[in-house]
Amino acid sequence: MPPKRKNDSIVKVEDVGMDVDTVIDSGSEEEARKRTKNRRAKPQRKAKRVSDDEEDDEDEDEAPRKRGRKKKARPRDSDEDEEEDKRSVKSKGSKASRRKAAKDESDEESEEEPDKRKKGGRATSKKEKEEQNKEKKGGNGKGKERESKGGEKNKKKKNGKLSSSSSSSSEGDEDSLSEGEIAALKEQVEEKKKLIATLRNKPWRMKRRLVMLKEAQEFVEKFEGALGKGKGRKLYAYKVMMTKKFIKFKRDFENFKTACIPWERKIKEVESHFGSSVASYFIFLRWMYGLNLVLFGFMFGLVVLPEVLMGLPYGSIARKTVPRAEQDSAMDFSVLFDFGGYCKYSFLFYGYYNNERTIGLLQFRLPLSYLLVGVGIFGYSLMVVIRTMARNANEGGDGGDEGEFTFSWKMFTSWDYLIGNPETADNKYASITTSFKESIVDEQENQKDENIHLRRFLRVLANVMILCCLGGSGYLIYFVVKRSQEFAEMDNDDLSWFEKNEVEFVMSLLGLVCPPLFETIAELEDYHPRIALKWQLGRIFALFLGNLYTFLFALFDEVTAKLEREKSIKNATEWALNQYYANYSSFYNTTNVPPPDVHPSDVVRGPCWETGVGIEFVKLIVSDVQVSYLTILIGDFARAVIVRFLNYCWCWDLEAGFPSYGEFDISGNVLGLVFNQGMIWMGAFYAPGLVGLNVLRLLTSMYYQCWAVMACNVPHERVFKASRSNNFYMGLLLLVLFLSLLPVVYTIMTLPPSFDCGPFSGQEKMYDVVMETIDQDLPAFIGNIFTYATNPGLIMPAVLLMVLAIYYLNTVSKGYQQANLDLKRKMQMARDEEKNRRNNKDSTNEVMKDLEDLLPNKSLIPPPIEEEPPPDVVVEKNSKSTKTKPGSAGKGVNLQKEVSLAAPNPRGPVTRAPGARGRPPGNPRGPQPGPGRGRGRGAPPRY
Amino acid sequence: MGNKQTTFTDEQLEAFQDCTFFTRKEILRLHSRYRELAPHLVPLDYTNNPDIRVPLALIVTMPELKENPFRDRIVETFSEDGQGNLSFNDFVDMFSALCETSPRELKTIYAFKIYDFNRDNFICKDDLQQTLTLLTKGELTEDEVLLVCDKALEEADLDGDSKLSFSDFQNMISKAPDFLSNFHIRI
């Protein structure tokens, strides 16, 4: 047929058309189900339709394909005597006959062929189904075939005519030709539509696609109307129209959605200069920005805005007024910059919020909303992070088989097609070369190791030093926070700027100094760069975490101290108030006592520890921003300027030599971002304004860092695999989220809120707001339900149930993993088998050959018989250790003597022929049932 | 393109949208880019499907392809005559296959064709060597190239015929973490 077009030049034109039809049919029918077959068939078809001037070229292409097909087809014939199968596209016999037919018959006949071929394709695709339930499905399927055939004929107005070849090939189908024509048509139309929808996924030339599209559309248009009658027709037309509209809408919506994502061009620019790894940081930053925007929306919309709009204005009550003592300096910049003065008594902090149960016309329950938003932020973040992680994990190629394809991946996927900048391209070439060289060295150095004792000693030493650093930094922070509490007792004016900002300063400094220090120490260890990077990340993480938690503990000390102080103040005020009431009533002799007429700024107030904590966090964030921006300015920009302009008058080449330009520190930046977010999560409850501040920070960061990276950094020499560590960062984020959740929940659940500030003042515990709402505002039965639900008797079983569920899911997932592995193995097996059939085994498969050569001699050695089988069985059952497979391959080689053979083989051939095909040939053999292969038969009896 | 002159009829645009991953605007932009390459050759009016091909030498001057070591192969793969002369259809086809939204399967097919230098439907050792030479600008020594090619074959060749067939290639590439992120061109 088509492949032999040279012979029948007469039919060429029709051939092309016919081809088109064929592919329409088989393409849409086989769809995903028969992917492999499709793939096998497609290139062939594609080759067919290439224009005339490519004929020779294409025939060369065709040759091996055909050979392959023949070889593939033959065994299948022997396997299954399904009639359709023989008629399938790949079948040789029918091809020949069809070719003859095409030569002999007229144009119409050759156009008829697609039907038949299509049916062939369908037959193959439905083969299994039909085999399984011939009664039901088989008849059905055949009917469909017939019908679709009818449809096809209908289309071509050739109902009456049946070519001899087609009639001979489909004699069984003929009897019920007219049955259910509408349904057939409908199906046909659906097929065409499907084709139109998936046309863009087909690896065909555009011209062909256009032709096919036109035909399909014509067909659909022609027959769509014919489907359904009367009312049904209108409905059908309507439906069709709506689907069209819907598709269009979807298209537009997608366009809109992509247009909404900000900084796409900025990131693209960075991407084309620095490759995808640096861009991944900015994408992470953008993601973080999105997350924070949502958090900000919650915080602002449900807490800040209602309080500002509907709550009492500034100056109305004590908590919203600057105390008289501070009023003089409340507007000073230095005070405001430390978030004292007006800042402290603004909506930015916890203390500002009133404890009125409902505010405004809408009866908005602010305290409840505050608590729920505070907790909801965590819930939302948790959900988003986990969802993103899951999506990342789902994205194929998660590097599960890392190391399996090091070289091939480097070869085929390392070039970043996005690069459009010559300098970057040069860098990329260099980095690819380096990475290849590294891999080569790795490969060669695999076994080599010199003076392991020294190295071990150095590693231990390095770890000890780093632990010392970590401990020291922790102690330093604790010390500083303690000291700052002492300072807080003292008068504000006596303190220098440094003394006031000591904590933040020291923390930022530690964050700045320690990572490079770790890096220097890590030089001692002499790890592989990739492992070293992981260690480095882990250490920085530990440092940040340790610092954060030391800070927190110190803060807790402060909080307890404040709580003590608050208690005495509370007692004092209560006592004073009682005195006032007693005096007032005795003096005026009335029980109707008006509240004491004290100006809000004169009221005695407690320390309000929540606001204190909030201020600490905000200060921390601000100083963090300052330090990181200054670092960029000095470490990158100033350095770049110096390197660039001092280079003209310096004794060595600054650009190439020592200072050179900075590289963008992806891991450090990502970690910084992650911890920043952790602090936001922790601080957001005490300082609602913090989220807004963070949004601003991220926004400026985006522009500032984009500029900095474009202006003063050079592309990496080392390739840092960003895509694979994406989920690693998400994991860190999740961990940080969890760790920041702990202190907040602890304070909400255990610490008593301040008595005179914040939305929860007057309550025993913060969560009492929820209880109160349940008791007072919801129907009684909900309260009952809640009481039952919080009963330990119910919670314990629930926890147990969850544990069980986790256990169950874990087991199931393990099962799936196993199944996955099995399937993978099977796939490889099938592929292998196919290949081996196609290629001459003797000439290609050296391992087998070696084994065969070995047989006669080795079979004389009986002893290993006993000890051999067990390891083999183990290997086959485990089926994971691919390396051992070649050994088991050996026993499959000869049928009679497998037992005695197996003994020596595992060692011999495996080590001998590792280069050519260490793992692959063995794979299929181990567990393979060996239906079609004589050689494989050896294995099964062993079980 | 804001001019009055129609470049494509609506049907043509719809057809292109159905056949590619592009929107209407992008197709028009593609046409203008195509026309930029050879303004004297390519007419503005494409309503009657003129049969015009732009030679490879002009195509590879596009900034998107200029730095790509495989630019010649890419263009050749997508050209209908195999010589690198691209008609507008081929041109659209090329960027559609390489765009971000095109599925992994399609990209795999084209990647295979691109890396198959001698077009024998197998990636053999010669192809690998050529790929490697282009990728490293010939910075590796002869021995290193051979070693890397051997290793790559050893890893990816499942049947041991010392060349990669499409299924080998597909199996290998389907697990590659960077393939999708790296194998695309933005227009």
Side-chain angles (χ1 to χ4, degrees):
Chain A
M1 256 211 45
K4 292 279 142 106
R5 231 183 319 164
K6 269 187 196 159
N7 305 342
D8 44 28
S9 47
I10 330 146
V11 225
K12 204 171 270 168
V13 187
E14 283 74 28
D15 246 355
V16 176
M18 173 187 76
D19 237 348
V20 168
D21 291 340
T22 316
V23 185
I24 293 179
D25 299 327
S26 49
S28 54
E29 274 166 22
E30 290 173 10
E31 231 15 275
R33 199 143 44 104
K34 279 280 164 176
R35 280 248 63 108
T36 42
K37 239 163 224 169
N38 229 353
R39 243 172 247 136
R40 225 183 290 135
K42 250 183 235 155
Q44 174 221 346
R45 284 173 193 149
K46 192 188 325 173
K48 263 184 260 156
R49 55 135 309 290
V50 191
S51 60
D52 299 0
D53 43 359
E54 234 189 87
E55 196 102 315
D56 305 335
D57 200 59
E58 171 217 286
D59 266 11
E60 284 168 21
D61 283 6
E62 209 97 297
R65 291 244 143 233
K66 253 185 317 186
R67 228 188 303 127
R69 252 181 288 128
K70 278 178 206 168
K71 275 188 184 142
K72 260 175 272 155
R74 226 178 284 136
R76 200 170 332 121
D77 284 357
S78 65
D79 286 349
E80 305 151 46
D81 31 356
E82 193 74 18
E83 199 205 331
E84 282 93 340
D85 205 20
K86 278 184 208 137
R87 265 188 278 116
S88 77
V89 192
K90 286 137 213 153
S91 164
K92 193 179 164 193
S94 73
K95 208 199 292 171
S97 79
R98 247 181 269 139
R99 198 192 313 144
K100 221 189 282 164
K103 255 188 243 169
D104 299 340
E105 308 293 334
S106 65
D107 293 356
E108 284 107 326
E109 246 114 13
S110 68
E111 272 193 51
E112 201 65 55
E113 277 171 16
D115 304 0
K116 184 183 54 184
R117 276 188 38 180
K118 182 206 81 198
K119 229 184 316 174
R122 172 179 290 232
T124 39
S125 74
K126 285 197 178 137
K127 190 171 52 197
E128 293 140 21
K129 247 197 242 163
E130 285 177 34
E131 267 170 4
Q132 277 166 12
N133 40 7
K134 258 194 171 134
E135 307 297 318
K136 261 195 273 170
K137 261 271 154 76
N140 217 343
K142 267 179 197 159
K144 264 190 212 158
E145 275 167 43
R146 264 171 251 130
E147 289 153 15
S148 60
K149 182 176 171 182
E152 196 83 348
K153 269 176 214 142
N154 221 352
K155 172 188 166 197
K156 290 183 178 158
K157 309 286 176 219
K158 257 177 278 159
N159 261 333
K161 221 172 182 183
L162 272 177
S163 76
S164 58
S165 61
S166 94
S167 60
S168 69
S169 62
S170 56
E171 48 210 315
D173 306 346
E174 217 127 275
D175 7 352
S176 56
L177 190 82
S178 55
E179 163 207 290
E181 232 170 352
I182 298 267
L185 254 183
K186 210 168 204 163
E187 195 194 330
Q188 201 81 30
V189 168
E190 285 307 313
E191 269 169 23
K192 298 274 182 198
K193 272 190 195 157
K194 214 182 200 175
L195 175 77
I196 293 174
T198 57
L199 197 58
R200 65 190 67 169
N201 292 343
K202 303 258 191 278
W204 302 331
R205 299 254 181 245
M206 186 60 71
K207 214 161 147 194
R208 176 136 163 268
R209 267 188 242 169
L210 288 173
V211 170
M212 215 108 66
L213 177 76
K214 214 170 162 196
E215 286 203 9
Q217 276 173 342
E218 268 173 17
F219 180 81
V220 169
E221 232 155 81
K222 199 165 172 189
F223 290 102
E224 211 160 43
L227 298 168
K229 287 159 199 153
K231 242 187 182 170
R233 175 187 286 187
K234 255 187 195 160
L235 190 73
Y236 191 78
Y238 178 73
K239 244 163 65 186
V240 167
M241 203 182 69
M242 285 321 284
T243 14
K244 263 185 201 160
K245 283 252 164 79
F246 181 65
I247 287 170
K248 181 129 183 26
F249 172 76
K250 239 169 50 180
R251 214 178 246 176
D252 290 349
F253 186 69
E254 283 298 314
N255 282 347
F256 174 72
K257 233 168 52 179
T258 45
C260 276
I261 296 173
W263 303 312
E264 194 71 2
R265 278 193 44 205
K266 247 186 177 12
I267 290 176
K268 234 158 267 180
E269 209 176 315
V270 171
E271 208 166 38
S272 84
H273 270 86
F274 293 88
S276 44
S277 57
V278 172
S280 79
Y281 164 73
F282 286 97
I283 290 171
F284 187 60
L285 180 61
R286 184 174 64 181
W287 183 86
M288 212 64 124
Y289 178 73
L291 174 71
N292 275 284
L293 264 191
V294 176
L295 299 188
F296 176 69
F298 278 136
M299 219 19 153
F300 195 73
L302 293 175
V303 174
V304 178
L305 215 55
E307 177 72 26
V308 171
L309 289 183
M310 301 187 284
L312 295 165
Y314 173 82
S316 53
I317 48 174
R319 68 188 66 181
K320 297 190 178 190
T321 318
V322 181
R324 194 165 299 277
E326 296 174 25
Q327 253 172 12
D328 294 336
S329 63
M331 218 31 208
D332 289 2
F333 179 72
S334 64
V335 175
L336 285 181
F337 197 69
D338 286 338
F339 295 94
Y342 285 112
C343 264
K344 190 176 176 184
Y345 300 97
S346 71
F347 61 85
L348 286 178
F349 294 106
Y350 172 93
Y352 181 80
Y353 295 86
N354 202 357
N355 63 339
E356 250 181 305
R357 278 201 65 228
T358 57
I359 54 170
L361 286 171
L362 298 169
Q363 299 292 302
F364 190 78
R365 290 190 176 77
L366 190 83
L368 182 69
S369 155
Y370 196 103
L371 186 78
L372 291 186
V373 166
V375 176
I377 278 180
F378 284 104
Y380 177 77
S381 310
L382 207 63
M383 199 186 74
V384 169
V385 171
I386 287 178
R387 257 188 51 182
T388 315
M389 278 181 86
R391 204 182 312 135
N392 279 356
N394 276 345
E395 243 161 48
D398 55 337
D401 306 298
E402 207 172 336
E404 197 185 343
F405 294 116
T406 344
F407 283 98
S408 343
W409 282 349
K410 278 214 176 94
M411 185 111 73
F412 293 119
T413 68
S414 59
W415 184 262
D416 203 335
Y417 278 57
L418 281 168
I419 291 175
N421 175 302
E423 204 180 318
T424 318
D426 280 346
N427 276 322
K428 191 76 188 175
Y429 283 125
S431 86
I432 289 174
T433 312
T434 329
S435 82
F436 268 122
K437 283 196 171 143
E438 258 170 30
S439 305
I440 292 169
V441 172
D442 273 4
E443 198 67 31
Q444 286 163 347
E445 271 189 0
N446 248 354
Q447 277 87 26
K448 192 184 99 186
D449 52 355
E450 82 295 340
N451 205 350
I452 196 157
H453 293 297
L454 177 66
R455 181 172 292 183
R456 259 186 208 154
F457 170 73
L458 284 179
R459 282 184 185 173
V460 170
L461 184 71
N463 275 314
V464 168
M465 281 162 82
I466 282 169
L467 276 181
C468 288
C469 283
L470 288 177
S473 75
Y475 177 73
L476 192 61
I477 288 176
Y478 191 77
F479 174 74
V480 169
V481 175
K482 276 284 172 200
R483 215 160 75 125
S484 78
Q485 284 158 22
E486 282 168 32
F487 287 145
E489 304 291 314
M490 289 156 66
D491 193 11
N492 224 8
D493 298 333
D494 300 343
L495 299 170
S496 64
W497 175 84
F498 175 75
E499 281 170 329
K500 273 190 267 182
N501 293 287
E502 208 175 31
V503 182
E504 293 76 25
F505 187 76
V506 165
M507 275 188 79
S508 302
L509 204 67
L510 281 175
L512 207 62
V513 169
C514 280
L517 191 68
F518 288 172
E519 210 161 339
T520 320
I521 295 176
E523 296 274 302
L524 285 177
E525 297 179 304
D526 196 23
Y527 277 124
H528 183 279
R530 205 180 306 136
I531 304 168
L533 183 78
K534 279 200 179 131
W535 275 96
Q536 172 77 358
L537 278 178
R539 279 164 187 162
I540 299 177
F541 191 79
L543 171 79
F544 282 6
L545 206 65
N547 292 358
L548 202 62
Y549 260 66
T550 329
F551 173 74
L552 272 183
F553 282 125
L555 219 55
F556 266 122
D557 283 352
E558 199 183 327
V559 167
T560 32
K562 272 189 180 162
L563 279 174
E564 288 297 315
R565 204 145 55 89
E566 190 194 76
K567 216 178 263 170
S568 60
I569 291 175
K570 192 179 170 189
N571 285 340
T573 38
E574 270 170 6
W575 186 76
L577 212 59
N578 286 340
Q579 288 262 295
Y580 164 78
Y581 280 131
N583 286 344
Y584 192 94
S585 51
S586 61
F587 190 75
Y588 291 102
N589 213 1
T590 168
T591 48
N592 185 17
V593 188
D597 182 29
V598 187
H599 191 266
S601 56
D602 294 327
V603 174
V604 182
R605 55 184 91 189
C608 196
W609 62 269
E610 292 95 337
T611 298
V613 171
I615 286 177
E616 288 295 323
F617 273 110
V618 173
K619 272 160 105 176
L620 207 60
I621 295 284
V622 168
S623 76
D624 188 42
V625 173
Q626 286 166 345
V627 168
S628 60
Y629 282 14
L630 275 179
T631 318
I632 291 174
L633 208 59
I634 294 168
D636 285 327
F637 185 66
R639 181 174 163 188
V641 167
I642 288 172
V643 166
R644 180 58 158 268
F645 292 105
L646 238 56
N647 204 22
Y648 299 121
C649 50
W650 203 258
C651 25
W652 69 81
D653 189 2
L654 286 173
E655 287 188 342
F658 162 57
S660 108
Y661 296 107
E663 280 182 3
F664 188 76
D665 176 18
I666 303 168
S667 50
N669 273 303
V670 170
L671 275 183
L673 207 57
V674 165
F675 272 91
N676 172 59
Q677 192 59 39
M679 287 193 270
I680 300 299
W681 277 322
M682 273 195 264
F685 188 75
Y686 305 109
L690 192 59
V691 191
L693 205 71
N694 192 41
V695 168
L696 275 183
R697 184 235 165 116
L698 293 177
L699 192 69
T700 49
S701 251
M702 188 79 195
Y703 286 102
Y704 185 55
Q705 287 196 304
C706 260
W707 164 78
V709 80
M710 292 298 281
C712 30
N713 283 2
V714 289
H716 280 249
E717 277 173 41
R718 286 223 93 88
V719 215
F720 180 73
K721 286 276 165 229
S723 48
R724 217 171 301 166
S725 35
N726 227 349
N727 247 0
F728 178 65
Y729 292 142
M730 281 291 166
L732 287 188
L733 195 64
L734 192 67
L735 187 65
V736 166
L737 175 58
F738 182 72
L739 289 175
S740 50
L741 180 70
L742 283 181
V744 174
V745 170
Y746 172 76
T747 47
I748 290 178
M749 296 311 269
T750 54
L751 293 184
S754 301
F755 77 99
D756 64 346
C757 69
F760 309 114
S761 52
Q763 314 267 8
E764 276 292 295
K765 294 274 176 334
M766 290 181 186
Y767 64 83
D768 282 347
V769 195
V770 182
M771 299 298 167
E772 196 187 75
T773 312
I774 288 169
D775 284 344
Q776 297 181 15
D777 299 323
L778 292 176
F781 74 94
I782 292 184
N784 282 339
I785 291 174
F786 199 79
T787 332
Y788 292 136
T790 50
N791 190 342
L794 213 76
I795 287 181
M796 288 303 286
V799 169
L800 260 179
L801 199 70
M802 267 191 254
V803 169
L804 281 181
I806 288 171
Y807 176 74
Y808 171 75
L809 288 178
N810 203 15
T811 321
V812 168
S813 85
K814 259 187 201 143
Y816 281 141
Q817 240 163 19
Q818 190 61 42
N820 223 339
L821 265 175
D822 281 350
L823 281 178
K824 233 183 242 169
R825 205 151 22 85
K826 248 178 223 165
M827 253 165 64
Q828 248 173 18
M829 229 154 56
R831 203 171 287 138
D832 233 33
E833 204 177 325
E834 189 178 286
K835 289 279 176 57
N836 280 346
R837 221 176 251 149
R838 191 190 304 161
N839 303 311
N840 190 346
K841 284 168 244 168
D842 290 341
S843 63
T844 53
N845 211 332
E846 286 150 32
V847 177
M848 302 276 272
K849 218 172 156 193
D850 285 351
L851 291 173
E852 270 163 5
D853 288 347
L854 287 170
L855 294 188
N857 311 326
K858 304 276 163 131
S859 59
L860 298 176
I861 308 164
I865 296 176
E866 277 86 66
E867 53 173 290
E868 245 325 295
D872 259 345
V873 172
V874 171
V875 166
E876 282 161 359
K877 285 216 170 121
N878 279 347
S879 73
K880 269 173 205 154
S881 55
T882 41
K883 296 285 175 208
T884 42
K885 286 291 166 44
S888 59
K891 82 197 148 87
V893 170
N894 78 333
L895 278 139
Q896 291 87 15
K897 314 198 170 167
E898 74 240 48
V899 188
S900 55
L901 264 183
N905 278 342
R907 248 120 263 152
V910 176
T911 45
R912 185 120 38 99
R917 63 193 58 74
R919 155 188 38 87
N923 248 352
R925 248 145 259 146
Q928 184 225 24
R933 301 164 77 231
R935 286 179 166 192
R937 285 259 158 76
R942 304 212 126 206
Y943 288 107
Chain B
M1 294 168 61
N3 48 12
K4 295 280 183 298
Q5 174 99 38
T6 49
T7 309
F8 296 106
T9 59
D10 276 349
E11 291 100 79
Q12 273 176 316
L13 280 175
E14 283 294 318
F16 273 127
Q17 285 184 57
D18 276 325
C19 291
T20 65
F21 298 96
F22 292 126
T23 58
R24 184 191 171 89
K25 213 167 131 194
E26 283 167 324
I27 287 162
L28 287 174
R29 192 167 69 216
L30 272 173
H31 178 261
S32 69
R33 291 296 303 276
Y34 185 65
R35 194 156 173 272
E36 263 169 36
L37 293 171
H40 53 284
L41 245 171
V42 183
L44 194 56
D45 179 24
Y46 242 82
T47 44
N48 51 355
N49 282 324
D51 185 28
I52 285 157
R53 282 149 203 247
V54 175
L56 179 136
L58 284 176
I59 300 276
V60 294
T61 56
M62 293 180 72
E64 282 84 359
L65 292 171
K66 209 174 62 204
E67 298 301 331
N68 199 316
F70 306 111
R71 53 186 176 272
D72 291 355
R73 276 302 302 154
I74 297 173
V75 176
E76 275 168 26
T77 304
F78 285 96
S79 79
E80 204 160 336
D81 57 5
Q83 305 296 309
N85 302 322
L86 291 191
S87 67
F88 181 64
N89 281 341
D90 298 335
F91 188 75
V92 175
D93 195 18
M94 175 164 79
F95 284 108
S96 168
L98 288 171
C99 81
E100 209 174 357
T101 35
S102 94
R104 190 183 272 264
E105 288 79 25
L106 191 65
K107 283 190 172 177
T108 312
I109 290 167
Y110 282 116
F112 182 76
K113 285 177 92 64
I114 285 170
Y115 293 122
D116 180 17
F117 282 79
N118 51 14
R119 303 179 208 174
D120 59 354
N121 276 328
F122 286 101
I123 294 183
C124 55
K125 210 164 171 177
D126 276 348
D127 297 328
L128 287 178
Q129 278 172 6
Q130 285 196 50
T131 310
L132 198 56
T133 317
L134 286 179
L135 208 51
T136 57
K137 277 197 169 170
E139 293 278 313
L140 293 179
T141 65
E142 195 77 7
D143 289 343
E144 283 170 331
V145 170
L146 280 180
L147 181 75
V148 170
C149 292
D150 280 341
K151 283 280 165 199
L153 273 180
E154 184 191 325
E155 286 163 2
D157 183 21
L158 290 179
D159 53 351
D161 54 3
S162 46
K163 51 189 178 181
L164 303 184
S165 68
F166 179 65
S167 49
D168 291 334
F169 186 75
Q170 197 182 28
N171 177 44
M172 182 265 294
I173 221 90
S174 66
K175 291 169 194 158
D178 299 335
F179 177 61
L180 275 189
S181 63
N182 279 346
F183 194 75
H184 73 101
I185 294 179
R186 285 202 183 100
I187 185 84

